[in-house]
Amino acid sequence: MLRRRSARRRRSVSGYWCRKFGCTESELREAVREVGTSAAAVEEYLKKLRLARHRAGLGQRDHLQGPGGAHRPEIVRG
């Protein structure tokens, strides 16, 4: 019974931090593994992680849209 309470408590605590930082549990685990248990360090790591993922996503779209990154529809004249 004690183990169940302990597991439930860990899920509750990790759920709180996931909501606070707006991240998934796996992202939270990754952050703690990389920077330790300091809330400020984890928050900063997650911000950098989101920014890097956002930039990577923009880079992929830019490549698909052509030079300059802007989607330029062709003008069809009839």
Side-chain angles (χ1 to χ4, degrees):
M1 181 147 160
L2 185 57
R3 284 186 180 176
R4 275 189 259 153
R5 282 186 191 168
S6 180
R8 204 175 312 134
R9 171 97 172 114
R10 278 193 305 272
R11 282 193 306 272
S12 173
V13 169
S14 67
Y16 166 80
W17 288 108
C18 288
R19 286 188 305 277
K20 178 163 177 58
F21 295 137
C23 66
T24 65
E25 193 170 338
S26 62
E27 289 170 333
L28 180 63
R29 275 194 229 111
E30 176 185 339
V32 170
R33 187 174 48 249
E34 291 294 322
V35 298
T37 57
S38 163
V42 168
E43 183 174 26
E44 186 65 30
Y45 179 87
L46 290 169
K47 284 180 184 177
K48 288 179 182 178
L49 181 66
R50 269 187 235 112
L51 181 61
R53 288 182 178 167
H54 177 73
R55 285 183 176 161
L58 287 179
Q60 289 171 354
R61 280 195 300 273
D62 288 348
H63 174 71
L64 294 174
Q65 292 175 350
H71 178 69
R72 297 171 195 211
E74 293 183 28
I75 298 173
V76 179
R77 296 183 184 188

